[in-house]
Amino acid sequence: MYELFFQKFNEKVPLTLEEQEQIKTYLTPKKLRKRQYLLQDGDVCKSIAFVEKGALRAYTVDENMNEHIIQFAIEGWTISDLFSYLTAEPATYTIDALEDAELVLITRAAHDELLKTQPKYETYIRLLITGAYIALQRRLTSNISLPAEERYTRFTETYPDIAQRVPQHMIASYMGLTPETLSRVRKKMAERR
Amino acid sequence: MYELFFQKFNEKVPLTLEEQEQIKTYLTPKKLRKRQYLLQDGDVCKSIAFVEKGALRAYTVDENMNEHIIQFAIEGWTISDLFSYLTAEPATYTIDALEDAELVLITRAAHDELLKTQPKYETYIRLLITGAYIALQRRLTSNISLPAEERYTRFTETYPDIAQRVPQHMIASYMGLTPETLSRVRKKMAERR
DNA sequence: AAAAAGCCTTGACATTTGTCAATGAAAAGG
DNA sequence: CCTTTTCATTGACAAATGTCAAGGCTTTTT
């Protein structure tokens, strides 16, 4: 347990074994079955989840009952409704498992305690969020400046693993397209070769 | 000089006067005239810029010479090509002044030094980026899940100051629309009241 | 003051994307 | 093994957005 979590942590901020043990006491393991919720829209998000195994997604549901996928998370990634987590306001996202999953949770209380007692944890979080911010900025840039086909191509090139593991209608949702539109975009691409 | 910078800093992380003086030695003031570049696409981004006065924008130019605005920054905001800044790779964004501006720059060298010597600086940066991440996630969520009109309404409600200061075609660009489309969306909204 | 440039709007038309409905294939569940 | 659900695709049509061109108004520059 926690192998991948500490591997990723050490890549960002090297830890001694003692530090590792100390941090471990703040972590909570959790298993999720496929389709189970980690967070439901309206609840307060109580933890950041690191994915040791499996796949999750965060999404919103609009007034027409259409789902819009905000984020995928597979092994080595982290997922949460950060705003709700930090402010304790009701979440606007729902998070559930796309496959059976093993998670490492950092509760809000653990997070606060670690920030106080372990400077390397703050550095880890800073680097984690910085990376997430840069990735998000890239995605937004694609979204406002590229046509659907180009966005799809870049997505499959950037995240080939996700493109293979999740249903295409979810990728469409992630890109802000309907499943029909993505299907037609793919058809056009195929016809050209 | 630096009044607003330290006001915002203190709101996030309270500083003693000594700490403030220490940090001040790492800051660089800079004035920009309207239309002047802070960063040109292809150069390495050498600093994070805090806006004391004026207004800037970050944008990309696509192969059809269309500009796509990534971010606005007015008084109290921070702007940079963070990826280029942190990796020292060529910037993909251009940043220029929409109005005459006064900036506080944190160079990469100053940033590294401050991270090493001043724990409160790391906390400030962590909170800064966390806020930027949450705002960006909101924007992306709007972009993939809301129609143009609703996005525009939310934008003007969230950033009324920017909506008034910046030409409408730039707001269109920020939302991923053409100026003509935004003009028509606004017309429809006006006709309904 | 005149000229130039920037900005917003509008019309006509093209392209992209969405909606609704139907189908068949594959996967999941009992 | 059979049933049900999920998924991807396709067609016909509607709605949203983009493109191109023009005009008028304002601001900037000379």
Coordinates of all heavy atoms in Angstrom, one line a residue, chain D residues 4-15:
Chain D
dT4 P -35.4 -8.4 -20.4 OP1 -36.5 -8.2 -19.5 OP2 -35.5 -8.4 -21.9 O5' -34.2 -7.4 -20.0 C5' -33.5 -7.5 -18.8 C4' -32.4 -6.6 -18.7 O4' -31.3 -7.0 -19.5 C3' -32.7 -5.2 -19.2 O3' -32.5 -4.2 -18.2 C2' -31.8 -5.0 -20.4 C1' -30.7 -6.0 -20.2 N1 -30.0 -6.5 -21.4 C2 -28.6 -6.5 -21.4 O2 -28.0 -6.0 -20.6 N3 -28.1 -7.1 -22.6 C4 -28.8 -7.6 -23.6 O4 -28.2 -8.1 -24.6 C5 -30.2 -7.6 -23.5 C7 -31.1 -8.2 -24.6 C6 -30.8 -7.1 -22.4
dT5 P -32.7 -2.6 -18.4 OP1 -33.1 -2.1 -17.1 OP2 -33.5 -2.4 -19.6 O5' -31.2 -2.1 -18.6 C5' -30.2 -2.6 -17.8 C4' -28.8 -2.2 -18.4 O4' -28.5 -3.0 -19.5 C3' -28.7 -0.7 -18.8 O3' -27.7 -0.1 -18.1 C2' -28.5 -0.8 -20.3 C1' -27.9 -2.2 -20.5 N1 -28.1 -2.8 -21.8 C2 -27.0 -3.3 -22.5 O2 -25.9 -3.2 -22.1 N3 -27.3 -3.9 -23.7 C4 -28.6 -4.1 -24.3 O4 -28.7 -4.6 -25.3 C5 -29.7 -3.6 -23.5 C7 -31.1 -3.8 -24.0 C6 -29.4 -3.0 -22.3
dT6 P -27.3 1.5 -18.3 OP1 -26.8 1.9 -17.0 OP2 -28.4 2.1 -19.0 O5' -26.1 1.4 -19.3 C5' -25.0 0.5 -19.0 C4' -24.0 0.5 -20.2 O4' -24.7 -0.2 -21.3 C3' -23.7 1.9 -20.7 O3' -22.3 2.0 -20.8 C2' -24.3 1.9 -22.1 C1' -24.4 0.4 -22.5 N1 -25.4 0.0 -23.5 C2 -24.9 -0.8 -24.6 O2 -23.8 -1.0 -24.8 N3 -25.9 -1.2 -25.4 C4 -27.3 -0.9 -25.3 O4 -28.1 -1.3 -26.2 C5 -27.7 -0.2 -24.1 C7 -29.1 0.2 -23.9 C6 -26.7 0.2 -23.3
dC7 P -21.5 3.3 -21.2 OP1 -20.3 3.3 -20.5 OP2 -22.5 4.4 -21.0 O5' -21.2 3.1 -22.7 C5' -20.6 1.9 -23.1 C4' -20.6 1.9 -24.6 O4' -21.9 1.5 -25.1 C3' -20.2 3.2 -25.3 O3' -19.0 3.0 -26.0 C2' -21.4 3.4 -26.3 C1' -22.1 2.0 -26.4 N1 -23.5 2.0 -26.6 C2 -24.0 1.3 -27.7 O2 -23.3 0.7 -28.4 N3 -25.4 1.2 -27.9 C4 -26.2 1.9 -27.1 N4 -27.5 1.8 -27.3 C5 -25.7 2.6 -25.9 C6 -24.4 2.7 -25.8
dA8 P -18.2 4.3 -26.6 OP1 -16.8 4.0 -26.4 OP2 -18.8 5.5 -26.0 O5' -18.6 4.2 -28.1 C5' -18.1 3.1 -28.9 C4' -18.8 3.1 -30.2 O4' -20.3 3.0 -29.9 C3' -18.7 4.4 -31.0 O3' -18.0 4.0 -32.2 C2' -20.1 4.9 -31.3 C1' -21.0 3.6 -30.9 N9 -22.3 3.9 -30.4 C8 -22.6 4.7 -29.3 N7 -23.9 4.7 -29.0 C5 -24.5 4.0 -30.0 C6 -25.8 3.7 -30.3 N6 -26.8 4.1 -29.6 N1 -26.0 2.9 -31.4 C2 -25.0 2.5 -32.2 N3 -23.7 2.7 -32.0 C4 -23.5 3.5 -30.9
dT9 P -17.7 5.1 -33.4 OP1 -16.6 4.6 -34.1 OP2 -17.8 6.4 -32.7 O5' -19.0 5.0 -34.3 C5' -19.4 3.7 -34.9 C4' -20.7 3.9 -35.6 O4' -21.7 4.1 -34.6 C3' -20.8 5.0 -36.6 O3' -20.8 4.4 -37.9 C2' -22.0 5.8 -36.2 C1' -22.8 4.8 -35.3 N1 -23.6 5.4 -34.2 C2 -25.0 5.2 -34.3 O2 -25.5 4.6 -35.2 N3 -25.7 5.8 -33.3 C4 -25.1 6.5 -32.2 O4 -25.9 7.0 -31.4 C5 -23.7 6.7 -32.2 C7 -23.1 7.5 -31.1 C6 -23.0 6.1 -33.2
dT10 P -20.6 5.3 -39.2 OP1 -20.1 4.5 -40.2 OP2 -19.9 6.5 -38.8 O5' -22.1 5.8 -39.6 C5' -23.1 4.8 -39.9 C4' -24.4 5.5 -40.0 O4' -24.9 5.8 -38.6 C3' -24.5 6.7 -40.8 O3' -25.1 6.4 -42.0 C2' -25.2 7.7 -39.9 C1' -25.8 6.9 -38.8 N1 -25.9 7.5 -37.5 C2 -27.1 7.6 -36.8 O2 -28.1 7.1 -37.3 N3 -27.1 8.2 -35.6 C4 -26.0 8.7 -35.0 O4 -26.1 9.2 -33.9 C5 -24.8 8.7 -35.7 C7 -23.5 9.2 -35.1 C6 -24.8 8.1 -36.9
dG11 P -25.3 7.5 -43.2 OP1 -25.3 6.8 -44.4 OP2 -24.3 8.6 -42.9 O5' -26.7 8.1 -42.9 C5' -27.9 7.2 -42.8 C4' -29.1 8.0 -42.6 O4' -29.2 8.4 -41.1 C3' -29.2 9.3 -43.3 O3' -30.5 9.5 -43.9 C2' -28.9 10.4 -42.3 C1' -29.5 9.8 -41.0 N9 -28.8 10.2 -39.8 C8 -27.4 10.3 -39.6 N7 -27.1 10.7 -38.4 C5 -28.4 10.9 -37.7 C6 -28.7 11.3 -36.4 O6 -27.9 11.6 -35.5 N1 -30.0 11.3 -36.2 C2 -31.0 11.0 -37.1 N2 -32.3 11.1 -36.7 N3 -30.7 10.6 -38.4 C4 -29.4 10.6 -38.6
dA12 P -30.9 10.6 -44.9 OP1 -31.7 10.1 -46.0 OP2 -29.6 11.4 -45.3 O5' -31.8 11.6 -44.0 C5' -32.8 11.1 -43.2 C4' -33.5 12.2 -42.5 O4' -32.7 12.5 -41.3 C3' -33.5 13.5 -43.2 O3' -34.7 14.2 -43.0 C2' -32.3 14.3 -42.7 C1' -32.3 13.8 -41.2 N9 -31.0 13.9 -40.6 C8 -29.8 13.7 -41.1 N7 -28.8 13.8 -40.2 C5 -29.5 14.1 -39.0 C6 -29.0 14.4 -37.7 N6 -27.7 14.3 -37.4 N1 -29.9 14.6 -36.8 C2 -31.2 14.6 -37.1 N3 -31.8 14.4 -38.3 C4 -30.8 14.2 -39.2
dC13 P -35.1 15.6 -43.8 OP1 -36.6 15.5 -44.0 OP2 -34.1 15.8 -44.8 O5' -34.9 16.7 -42.6 C5' -35.7 16.5 -41.4 C4' -35.0 17.4 -40.4 O4' -33.6 17.0 -40.2 C3' -34.9 18.9 -40.7 O3' -35.8 19.6 -39.8 C2' -33.4 19.3 -40.5 C1' -32.9 18.1 -39.7 N1 -31.5 17.8 -39.8 C2 -30.7 17.9 -38.6 O2 -31.3 18.1 -37.5 N3 -29.4 17.7 -38.7 C4 -28.8 17.4 -39.8 N4 -27.5 17.2 -39.8 C5 -29.6 17.3 -41.0 C6 -30.9 17.6 -41.0
dA14 P -35.8 21.2 -39.8 OP1 -37.2 21.6 -39.6 OP2 -35.1 21.7 -41.0 O5' -35.0 21.5 -38.5 C5' -35.4 20.9 -37.3 C4' -34.5 21.6 -36.2 O4' -33.2 21.2 -36.3 C3' -34.5 23.1 -36.2 O3' -34.6 23.5 -34.8 C2' -33.2 23.5 -36.8 C1' -32.3 22.3 -36.4 N9 -31.2 21.9 -37.4 C8 -31.4 21.7 -38.7 N7 -30.2 21.4 -39.3 C5 -29.3 21.4 -38.3 C6 -27.9 21.1 -38.2 N6 -27.2 20.8 -39.3 N1 -27.3 21.2 -37.0 C2 -28.0 21.6 -36.0 N3 -29.3 21.8 -35.9 C4 -29.9 21.7 -37.1
dA15 P -34.7 25.1 -34.5 OP1 -35.6 25.3 -33.4 OP2 -34.8 25.9 -35.8 O5' -33.2 25.4 -33.9 C5' -32.7 24.6 -32.9 C4' -31.3 25.0 -32.6 O4' -30.5 24.5 -33.7 C3' -31.1 26.5 -32.4 O3' -30.4 26.7 -31.2 C2' -30.2 26.9 -33.7 C1' -29.5 25.5 -34.0 N9 -29.2 25.4 -35.4 C8 -30.1 25.5 -36.5 N7 -29.5 25.2 -37.7 C5 -28.2 24.9 -37.3 C6 -27.1 24.5 -38.1 N6 -27.1 24.4 -39.4 N1 -26.0 24.2 -37.4 C2 -25.9 24.3 -36.1 N3 -26.9 24.7 -35.3 C4 -28.0 24.9 -35.9

